Amino acid sequence: MFSIEYPTVAVTNSKENFPVHRIYCVGQNYAAHAREMGNDPEREAPVWFMKTSDSVVPDGSTVSYPPRTSNLHHEIELVVALHKGGRNITATQARELIFGYAVGIDLTRRDLQAALRKNGRPWDPAKSFEQAAPISAINPASAIGHPQAGRIWLNVNDELRQEGDLSDLIWSVPEALAELSTLFTLAPGDLLFTGTPSGVGAVVAGDRLTGGIDGVGEITIDIGSPN
């Protein structure tokens, strides 16, 4: 009766697309970013939130400035794509689940997030909205391996805003996946946004965002006018 098209992400050097199941995100996974958000960066259990799968936006897109915010922030992140799933996996087993890696931007309605946090309410409206998860093509691990270090950066209109290194992750990719699998049954098609370095800030309509991760890829999006 109904025809549904599931969201997909391009795969580098392939005609195949990666079908998206769920999008998980780790909050405050770089110490410097935790500090700039007013939190203690000591190693504690990860902060988890989710985005809807249809919030993915491909590289090169124009993203409409979302409603109910005047403080839209950029957060550049390493994204992990899974082709296997499971529950209660170990960090040692985690890499067996990984299909590849991409560059993502976690767009955040920061003013809305701050108001929700102040009142002890969930972040969902601040993090999960249309076009909230721009992502580059996925680079298969079979081609690039499993990056544990490398520069991660983001420019707004050619001005450097964010810069860090994957080695600065508080929870490594295998550790994060192992912990996540104690809460959810991971599945093929899942994406994990792994956290952002310091330097997050506001963008406005007309801005161009360009970011990348050494050995993984790059992404460019434009911020358009509100719909």
Side-chain angles (χ1 to χ4, degrees), residues 170-192:
I170 297 172
W171 289 79
S172 69
V173 169
E175 291 171 335
L177 288 173
E179 176 68 15
L180 183 60
S181 74
T182 69
L183 296 169
F184 303 94
T185 300
L186 303 182
D190 286 346
L191 299 176
L192 172 63

Side-chain angles (χ1 to χ4, degrees), residues 42-70:
E42 291 299 322
R43 188 182 172 95
E44 298 178 353
V47 176
W48 300 108
F49 59 93
M50 298 177 70
K51 292 176 181 279
T52 58
S53 60
D54 62 354
S55 63
V56 296
V57 181
D59 177 31
S61 295
T62 296
V63 174
S64 299
Y65 196 93
R68 299 286 295 274
T69 184
S70 58

Side-chain angles (χ1 to χ4, degrees), residues 33 36-37 51 65 71-77 104-110 113 126-127 129 132 134 153-157 159-163 193 195-204 207-211 219 221 223:
H33 175 56
E36 75 177 350
M37 297 302 294
K51 292 176 181 279
Y65 196 93
N71 195 20
L72 179 68
H73 276 211
H74 56 75
E75 299 187 13
I76 189 77
E77 310 203 8
I105 301 175
D106 169 17
L107 292 175
T108 303
R109 293 190 273 208
R110 190 71 73 200
Q113 183 189 32
K127 289 286 192 177
F129 51 90
W153 56 274
L154 182 135
N155 289 346
V156 177
N157 301 327
E159 176 188 349
L160 183 64
R161 289 277 192 91
Q162 290 186 262
E163 187 173 31
F193 278 62
T196 195
S198 61
V200 300
V203 293
V204 298
D207 283 346
R208 169 160 287 192
L209 282 59
T210 303
I219 186 171
I221 62 167
I223 304 298

